[in-house]
Amino acid sequence: MSRKTVFSSAQLPSHLNDRERFSLWQDIHVAEIWSVEYDIAENLPFEATIEATAVGELVLGQMSGTIKHATRKASNIADDDNDGYLLLINKADTVLSGAQAGREYGVGQGEAVLVTASEALKMSGADRNVWTNVVVPRAILTQAFPQIDDRLALKIGAENEALDLLKRYCQLLETGRPLTSPDLMTHATETIVDLIGLVTGAKGQAAELAGLRGLRAARLQAVLAKIADNFADPGISAQGVAKELGLSPRYVHDLLQGTGISFSERVLELRLQRANKMLSHRHNDDMRVSEIAMISGFSDVSYFNRCFRRRFGHTPTSAR
C-alpha cells in the first residue's frame, strides 16, 4: 500500500533554541532516513520538512526549508550502507549545485540530476530550497539499466519530455488515492523506473551513452586495483576496500558480481597464485611452506593446504 509520511522541524519541542532544534532534527534524520551531514542558512530561522510517499520499494519525496548544504562522506556511507539512487528535481528558482563521481553539476528550477547514496556526494543551494526526489533501490535500477552509473551527476534539462511526464505521474501518485492493489503497485514501480531510464538517457539513447566515460567500469577497476595491492593482508575485507574508495560495501559486491567472481574468491585466487609462484622458485627453497602461506595472506596453514590442493591438484610440498 502506498503511504505518505511527514517529518518536520515544526514537530520538535518548542522550548529548544534554533541550534538545538537543528541538531535534534539531524539526529532523527540520520537514525530514520540516511546518514548525511547538513548545514543550515545562518541568517534565517531553522526550518525543514520532508514529505515521503512510499510506492512499493520506491519513495517519492520532497525536501524544503533552510537546509543549505548536504554532504555524504565515506564515513556516512559506512554508517548506513544505503546504496539507493536519487533523482533530484529542483523546484526553487535558485540553483542546486554539487559534485559526485568526479563530475560537478548545477541544476536550476525544473531541472534534475541523478545521484547515488553509495558514493560520496556534495550539494549546496540558497538560504531556502525546495526539491523533490525519487528514491530507487540500487538493485532495481541496475537490473533495468546496468550502465546507469554512467549517468550520475549529469544535468537533465527542464525541457526533457520524459522528466515532465515523470513529474506529473509522481504528483498523481502522491495526491491521488493510495494504491492498494499489488498489481497496480508493481505497474507504478515499473513505470517510474522506465521513465527514469528515459529521463537520464539510460534508455533510448545508446549512442550518447556509449560516448560517455564508463564510471561503473572505472569504479570496478579501482576495486580490483585495491584487491590486487592488498590481497596478502589477512585483514582485507570488502568493507575496508569500500571505505577506502568512498563506496558502500554493497556497491563493491555488486560491481564484483558482474565479473562472476566474488570478493572472497578473488582474494583467495590471488593468494594461491602468489604461493604457487613462490613455491616454484628455487630461491625460496630455504623458506618453510608455512612461511610462504603467511606471506601470501593465509593465517591458517591447514586451510591453505586444502585450498592449494583443491586448486592445483597437488600439495604445496609437491609444487617445489
Side-chain angles (χ1 to χ4, degrees):
M1 178 176 177
S2 61
R3 60 194 184 280
K4 185 172 185 176
T5 58
V6 177
F7 170 45
S8 172
S9 57
Q11 300 165 335
L12 301 177
S14 58
H15 70 273
L16 299 176
N17 63 37
D18 223 36
R19 181 53 59 176
E20 290 170 337
R21 291 171 67 246
F22 170 59
S23 180
L24 177 58
W25 183 89
Q26 178 154 275
D27 287 344
I28 296 173
H29 184 285
V30 169
E32 300 293 333
I33 303 176
W34 64 329
S35 180
V36 183
E37 297 176 18
Y38 288 113
D39 286 314
I40 56 177
E42 296 181 358
N43 56 344
L44 290 175
F46 167 61
E47 175 192 334
T49 300
I50 296 176
E51 301 174 24
T53 301
V55 180
E57 295 185 69
L58 278 55
V59 176
L60 312 179
Q62 176 172 293
M63 175 87 154
S64 61
T66 56
I67 297 292
K68 190 171 183 179
H69 302 287
T71 305
R72 186 164 163 84
K73 303 175 182 176
S75 57
N76 301 114
I77 296 171
D79 283 344
D80 60 17
D81 198 23
N82 187 320
D83 63 354
Y85 291 92
L86 293 86
L87 183 71
L88 302 176
I89 305 170
N90 186 9
K91 294 184 70 176
D93 58 1
T94 53
V95 174
L96 281 176
S97 60
Q100 187 172 67
R103 292 175 178 158
E104 295 183 354
Y105 63 83
V107 292
Q109 188 171 30
E111 297 179 330
V113 64
L114 180 73
V115 297
T116 177
S118 66
E119 295 198 39
L121 171 68
K122 291 182 179 180
M123 188 170 69
S124 298
D127 285 343
R128 186 177 294 277
N129 302 281
V130 184
W131 68 83
T132 60
N133 54 62
V134 183
V135 184
V136 185
R138 168 169 289 276
I140 292 177
L141 202 56
T142 54
Q143 182 177 5
F145 310 107
Q147 304 303 319
I148 191 65
D149 284 347
D150 290 347
R151 313 307 298 178
L152 291 175
L154 295 175
K155 184 173 76 171
I156 300 160
E159 73 285 351
N160 185 302
E161 281 188 294
L163 178 60
D164 181 60
L165 181 58
L166 178 64
K167 291 175 187 175
R168 288 186 280 131
Y169 187 68
C170 289
Q171 184 178 24
L172 174 66
L173 292 173
E174 290 176 292
T175 59
R177 290 171 53 189
L179 298 179
T180 57
S181 164
D183 289 341
L184 283 178
M185 196 82 72
T186 298
H187 174 76
T189 298
E190 291 175 348
T191 300
I192 292 171
V193 169
D194 199 52
L195 284 171
I196 290 176
L198 291 169
V199 167
T200 59
K203 176 181 179 179
Q205 298 181 25
E208 181 184 351
L209 182 60
L212 292 172
R213 176 173 175 264
L215 290 175
R216 185 178 174 86
R219 294 290 178 260
L220 174 60
Q221 289 304 314
V223 169
L224 295 179
K226 281 290 181 185
I227 295 174
D229 290 341
N230 300 284
F231 69 85
D233 178 358
I236 188 174
S237 66
Q239 289 77 13
V241 169
K243 188 173 183 179
E244 286 189 51
L245 295 175
L247 307 173
S248 70
R250 196 177 304 170
Y251 186 25
V252 168
H253 286 302
D254 178 51
L255 288 170
L256 292 173
Q257 184 177 7
T259 70
I261 305 174
S262 69
F263 185 91
S264 58
E265 290 170 337
R266 191 173 294 276
V267 170
L268 177 60
E269 177 65 16
L270 289 170
R271 289 175 174 175
L272 289 171
Q273 291 292 350
R274 170 176 282 188
N276 188 45
K277 186 175 181 180
M278 291 185 69
L279 288 165
S280 301
H281 284 185
R282 289 197 169 186
H283 64 262
N284 294 323
D285 284 351
D286 58 339
M287 295 181 68
R288 297 193 299 271
V289 169
S290 59
E291 289 180 281
I292 290 176
M294 296 191 74
I295 289 173
S296 301
F298 293 93
S299 55
D300 185 328
V301 178
S302 297
Y303 174 69
F304 164 67
N305 287 331
R306 290 197 303 272
C307 291
F308 193 95
R309 184 160 192 166
R310 186 166 59 245
R311 173 65 177 83
F312 298 109
H314 52 257
T315 65
T317 303
S318 301
R320 312 191 95 160

